[in-house]
Amino acid sequence: DEQSEPLRLTALPRTIIRSPVGNDAIVVARDGADGDRIVVVALPDASMSPTPPPASQTPATLEPVVSGKPTDAGPSATAPTTPPPVTPPSVDPSSPDPGATPDVETTTPPSERPSASPTPSLSPEPTVATSLAIASDIDVVGGSAAFSSDGMWFAFTARPTDGSGGPDVFVWRVGEPTASRLTEDGESMFASWDGDQVVASRPQVSTADTTGSPSSPASVQIDPQTGAETAAGTLWLPAVDPTRTRALGWNGSIQRTVDASGWSPADGRLELRAWPTEAGGQANAAPSRYAGARILGEEIGDFDIRWDETGGWVAVWMADANDPRVGRLSLFRADPAAGGLELLENAPDGVEALAGFSIGDGRLAWASPPGQSGEGSRIQIVAWSGDGVGSVRSAPGKDLVIVQ
């Protein structure tokens, strides 16, 4: 609509993860034969209504500003009417032509739109995203990359593009020029955040073991500033809920992936378990009653588990064994009284979905795989209130990416 602000990215994104505070986002994009590039970009502030210039002046394009580091004002802070000048980022000659890449639009809700004005409008040309590359020449592994709840840190799993090593956990602190390696064993994978602590999992085998035999997993909590580790049970890739009292993860053995890039579930099942709230506690207490029988699959590949900000709802995506870009998505309501998960009527139950989904503010959004006869993907959204769940979907499109 008239208040949307296109944002042009300089590389085709495959994942976009927005910070829980401010307007910064992480973009994971393929950088040709050089592997993945992880870039921090500033998204347009949808809460701001652009102020048109006086009729006597030439309209100008507003440039987004990289925050550099969080301010004390919090997420509700607004930028000044006249933004400070921004030096456009240099463009890598090897990057795709910005003119050929998709735009990301942010939209102001109808209730916040200003009344029509005869003054000239802003330039319709997309703004080139101000960006900072924090990692390159790597292959991002898994789909559990995430910001910490305070937006101060971003964690992900990656390995060298040349295959010289296995996966490790990397962290980036807002304001730092690059991400840094948090683990050095070539076997660790990021699972989730527990407050300000990184939760990671690794196999209980030596890196020299190439037999391909299944292994038992172990999870740890890691201080991103010091690297100090604390044991955190035996669930594989536990997704800790925002209340820090429960975690949903794989209980069972794991095995090396076919391409040896990491580890995936072998024999076992997904379980909801009590989570320790004190350092040194163990997450392998007796499992809670689990009502979500539909995701207790014994043969699953990669999976992605995300809680909403209240800890009352959780979405589970499980990759297809033959095509990891496609999987099945389910939405459950957590029932603290019964100690389990509940599948409500009309909630997604194993629906086909591309990798990458967004959950929060009472809604779940995902992109469906392309349909038959050349039909493109669709953005699908379900929303809930109490026990009610409703849904809507978009018209078909191409190269759809959900901002998580």
Side-chain angles (χ1 to χ4, degrees):
D1 59 38
E2 69 276 7
Q3 292 301 318
S4 64
E5 182 177 348
L7 182 69
R8 189 176 297 283
L9 304 175
T10 57
L12 183 66
R14 62 184 181 90
T15 302
I16 304 177
I17 304 174
R18 184 171 183 167
S19 170
V21 299
N23 291 310
D24 289 345
I26 294 290
V27 175
V28 179
R30 195 68 184 174
D31 195 11
D34 296 328
D36 292 326
R37 170 181 291 186
I38 298 183
V39 180
V40 184
V41 301
L43 297 178
D45 186 351
S47 66
M48 291 177 57
S49 299
T51 303
S56 60
Q57 296 182 10
T58 302
T61 299
L62 295 179
E63 295 281 347
V65 181
V66 171
S67 62
K69 59 182 179 180
T71 65
D72 295 334
S76 62
T78 56
T81 303
T82 304
V86 175
T87 302
S90 59
V91 178
D92 189 337
S94 64
S95 299
D97 179 9
T101 55
D103 301 329
V104 175
E105 286 195 2
T106 57
T107 304
T108 302
S111 61
E112 299 179 15
R113 296 175 189 165
S115 58
S117 171
T119 54
S121 61
L122 296 178
S123 169
E125 290 299 318
T127 297
V128 176
T130 304
S131 61
L132 169 68
I134 60 172
S136 56
D137 299 329
I138 58 172
D139 286 329
V140 175
V141 179
S144 299
F147 277 95
S148 58
S149 59
D150 61 4
M152 286 294 298
W153 294 87
F154 181 78
F156 59 97
T157 308
R159 66 170 186 153
T161 301
D162 60 10
S164 59
D168 273 303
V169 178
F170 288 73
V171 292
W172 173 69
R173 185 170 186 172
V174 174
E176 296 294 329
T178 59
S180 59
R181 191 188 302 266
L182 185 61
T183 63
E184 300 281 351
D185 54 75
E187 299 285 2
S188 297
M189 298 184 65
F190 171 70
S192 62
W193 286 92
D194 179 11
D196 59 358
Q197 299 290 293
V198 169
V199 179
S201 297
R202 59 174 65 107
Q204 298 181 23
V205 297
S206 167
T207 55
D209 180 8
T210 58
T211 62
S213 57
S215 174
S216 297
S219 290
V220 293
Q221 291 174 313
I222 311 176
D223 187 324
Q225 300 190 68
T226 65
E229 296 187 1
T230 303
T234 59
L235 283 181
W236 173 251
L237 301 183
V240 181
D241 84 319
T243 68
R244 303 175 64 188
T245 60
R246 297 162 297 179
L248 181 58
W250 181 258
N251 179 31
S253 61
I254 56 175
Q255 59 191 358
R256 289 188 184 276
T257 56
V258 175
D259 61 1
S261 64
W263 294 80
S264 63
D267 295 324
R269 64 179 189 173
L270 289 172
E271 285 188 358
L272 181 66
R273 292 196 168 198
W275 183 255
T277 56
E278 297 181 2
Q282 295 293 309
N284 55 357
S288 301
R289 183 180 69 81
Y290 194 84
R294 291 171 181 78
I295 63 169
L296 295 179
E298 284 147 4
E299 290 186 8
I300 68 174
D302 189 20
F303 60 85
D304 188 8
I305 301 172
R306 296 181 184 272
W307 296 84
D308 78 334
E309 72 280 4
T310 69
W313 296 78
V314 62
V316 180
W317 179 86
M318 297 185 299
D320 186 282
N322 298 318
D323 186 355
R325 299 170 300 175
V326 180
R328 294 192 173 274
L329 181 67
S330 300
L331 174 67
F332 299 91
R333 183 176 68 174
D335 184 354
L341 301 180
E342 180 182 13
L343 181 70
L344 298 183
E345 184 178 359
N346 297 326
D349 179 15
V351 299
E352 289 190 323
L354 297 177
F357 61 88
S358 176
I359 182 171
D361 296 327
R363 64 184 185 272
L364 171 68
W366 71 95
S368 64
Q372 298 178 348
S373 304
E375 183 183 76
S377 298
R378 294 177 184 267
I379 297 296
Q380 303 203 59
I381 301 173
V382 297
W384 55 85
S385 177
D387 292 336
V389 180
S391 63
V392 67
R393 66 178 183 174
S394 72
K398 295 181 64 177
D399 297 326
L400 301 179
V401 179
I402 298 291
V403 179
Q404 300 178 31

